[in-house]
Amino acid sequence: MSFRKVNIIILVVAVALFLLVLHHNFLSLNSLLRNEVSDSGIVGLQPIDFIPNAPQHAVDGRQEEIPVVIAASEDRLGGAIAAINSIQHNTRSNVIFYIVTLNGTADHLRSWLSSSTLKSIRYKIVNFDSKLLEGKVKEDPDQGESIKPLTFARFYLPILVPSAKKAIYMDDDVIVQGDILALYNTPLKPGHAAAFSEDCDSASTKVVIRGAGNQYNYIGYLDYKKERIRKLSMKASTCSFNPGVFVANLTEWKRQNITNQLEKWMKLNVEEGLYSRTLAGSITTPPLLIVFYQQHSTIDPMWNVRHLGSSAGKRYSPQFVKAAKLLHWNGHFKPWGRTASYTDIWEKWYIPDPTGKFSLIRRHVEISNIK
């Protein structure tokens, strides 16, 4: 009898030990998975809310989700609203918007979306912590403008959209006239983590290339007098690309640690000043040019018809503008500003701010005030 009791006790202890080991392994696995999703090396990207309502168009639930990432700063919020509205109304695809903001903008954005025709879109608001950029950027007094943290959100796509294999990034100064599904289906070559529109070959650049100097080459963005740049053996005449609209293979992006590579060159620039002193474009472009040198695919040029914000005049024919799949007001003259071109096209997609915080700046307002 006592022998049987001993066996029972041994069995109970063995089962208890087995359950303890199993529980420990489960916690370890759970911790590992949590670290992989959140990327423990990067903090400060926190989802604020998610509204999974059905889009206005009938959407097949079996369709693949199309993640579209847009940065939305307080002073340019109307641009993001117009861009989102144009995308939503020109597709029947299952689009989910990842809208990246800074603290204080989320409530304004949420109220704007909930009180307009966009209240049925699917979106997630993600807060971007500027501390991510500490030691990676520095103010340049020669540029005259302060650093805008949200311009670097595109560097952190796998963290913004952790569960997606592919995503689209676009600036807030765009209007989409085609079906976003076509851009999403851009084929990327094996080993390529992104597809951009090259400056030299774009349909829009051919109209304005004269007198551009080095604006469309690597030498326009990088200081080739620096030894570290020369050691990369990148041809200075290599055509640059525009990072305002691109398609990313996030699986490949993570495999190549693209975010870490970009951060490396940001830090080196702070230490050594690797960017051109006469930077031809955005401060985000140089590290992207280095990391993706001869290692990126291309998107259809009509999906990034740009330079609409380069001057106040109209440089394209009405037929060309109508045929464009995406219009991009890169440059100083934004479509919500006083001297922008093609504002009639942009205003078709703009939704007035119900809070009144954001308003368009127009010439006729000035004239009426003078009277």
Side-chain angles (χ1 to χ4, degrees):
M1 187 65 118
S2 60
F3 181 77
R4 183 178 300 173
K5 285 184 178 180
V6 170
N7 284 341
I8 292 173
I9 291 172
I10 292 173
L11 180 62
V12 170
V13 171
V15 170
L17 287 172
F18 173 77
L19 290 175
L20 283 172
V21 171
L22 186 64
H23 180 65
H24 175 74
N25 288 341
F26 175 78
L27 288 177
S28 298
L29 177 61
N30 188 45
S31 176
L32 175 63
L33 291 174
R34 190 164 57 247
N35 286 339
E36 287 180 349
V37 170
S38 63
D39 193 337
S40 58
I42 299 178
V43 295
L45 296 169
Q46 304 170 348
I48 296 176
D49 62 8
F50 176 48
I51 301 190
N53 293 341
Q56 290 176 336
H57 303 298
V59 172
D60 186 347
R62 294 169 296 180
Q63 282 186 337
E64 182 179 359
E65 282 188 349
I66 300 179
V68 176
V69 179
I70 297 181
S73 61
E74 184 70 25
D75 60 328
R76 300 163 61 110
L77 207 51
I81 291 292
I84 292 170
N85 192 29
S86 68
I87 294 169
Q88 182 68 15
H89 280 80
N90 284 303
T91 188
R92 291 185 178 274
S93 298
N94 189 13
V95 178
I96 174 170
F97 296 96
Y98 289 79
I99 311 172
V100 190
T101 66
L102 297 174
N103 279 331
T105 303
D107 290 340
H108 184 190
L109 175 61
R110 195 180 297 110
S111 64
W112 202 334
L113 291 171
S114 63
S115 63
S116 69
T117 55
L118 294 175
K119 60 186 176 182
S120 62
I121 69 168
R122 301 177 69 226
Y123 70 88
K124 181 178 290 187
I125 298 177
V126 184
N127 179 58
F128 188 86
D129 190 344
S130 301
K131 291 180 180 178
L132 276 173
L133 304 178
E134 289 181 357
K136 304 181 185 77
V137 294
K138 64 177 179 179
E139 298 287 347
D140 186 349
D142 295 335
Q143 293 296 324
E145 292 185 4
S146 60
I147 297 296
K148 295 178 172 59
L150 288 177
T151 61
F152 297 94
R154 71 198 81 194
F155 289 4
Y156 300 93
L157 288 182
I159 318 302
L160 296 170
V161 196
S163 60
K165 296 180 180 179
K166 193 176 181 181
I168 294 171
Y169 171 85
M170 57 181 58
D171 286 341
D172 57 9
D173 53 356
V174 306
I175 287 297
V176 173
Q177 300 186 132
D179 188 338
I180 198 72
L181 179 62
L183 178 60
Y184 184 74
N185 286 335
T186 297
L188 274 72
K189 296 178 180 178
H192 287 183
F196 303 91
S197 175
E198 294 196 345
D199 290 323
C200 304
D201 298 332
S202 74
S204 52
T205 298
K206 289 177 181 177
V207 181
V208 296
I209 193 72
R210 291 179 182 175
N214 296 321
Q215 187 176 353
Y216 304 113
N217 298 326
Y218 268 48
I219 198 171
Y221 293 88
L222 299 166
D223 187 351
Y224 274 79
K225 295 178 181 178
K226 298 296 173 68
E227 183 180 1
R228 190 178 293 276
I229 295 298
R230 293 200 306 270
K231 281 184 175 180
L232 294 173
S233 298
M234 301 183 300
K235 290 184 179 180
S237 60
T238 302
C239 184
S240 56
F241 54 77
N242 181 275
V245 178
F246 64 90
V247 181
N249 178 337
L250 299 182
T251 302
E252 195 64 38
W253 189 295
K254 287 183 280 191
R255 189 186 72 79
Q256 298 182 31
N257 292 318
I258 296 294
T259 296
N260 289 340
Q261 291 189 57
L262 293 168
E263 288 186 323
K264 166 192 168 183
W265 287 104
M266 290 168 70
K267 292 175 183 175
L268 286 172
N269 176 64
V270 170
E271 297 168 4
E272 303 176 25
L274 303 178
Y275 303 167
S276 171
R277 299 299 297 173
T278 56
L279 195 61
S282 169
I283 193 174
T284 60
T285 306
L288 287 164
L289 293 179
I290 295 172
V291 173
F292 286 102
Y293 179 70
Q294 295 185 345
Q295 289 294 321
H296 67 274
S297 299
T298 57
I299 64 174
D300 181 341
M302 297 302 283
W303 272 102
N304 193 357
V305 172
R306 47 199 181 276
H307 308 300
L308 274 71
S310 297
S311 67
K314 294 187 176 182
R315 61 176 74 249
Y316 306 128
S317 69
Q319 295 81 6
F320 180 73
V321 171
K322 185 177 181 180
K325 302 297 183 183
L326 182 147
L327 298 171
H328 189 180
W329 279 263
N330 62 313
H332 294 293
F333 302 95
K334 300 304 180 187
W336 52 84
R338 183 175 292 111
T339 55
S341 58
Y342 306 99
T343 54
D344 55 327
I345 299 173
W346 184 84
E347 284 186 25
K348 185 172 74 170
W349 301 108
Y350 174 70
I351 300 170
D353 181 4
T355 70
K357 294 179 182 178
F358 185 95
S359 58
L360 306 183
I361 303 173
R362 293 293 182 256
R363 284 174 176 170
H364 64 79
V365 174
E366 284 187 326
I367 295 172
S368 62
N369 288 339
I370 292 173
K371 291 178 181 179

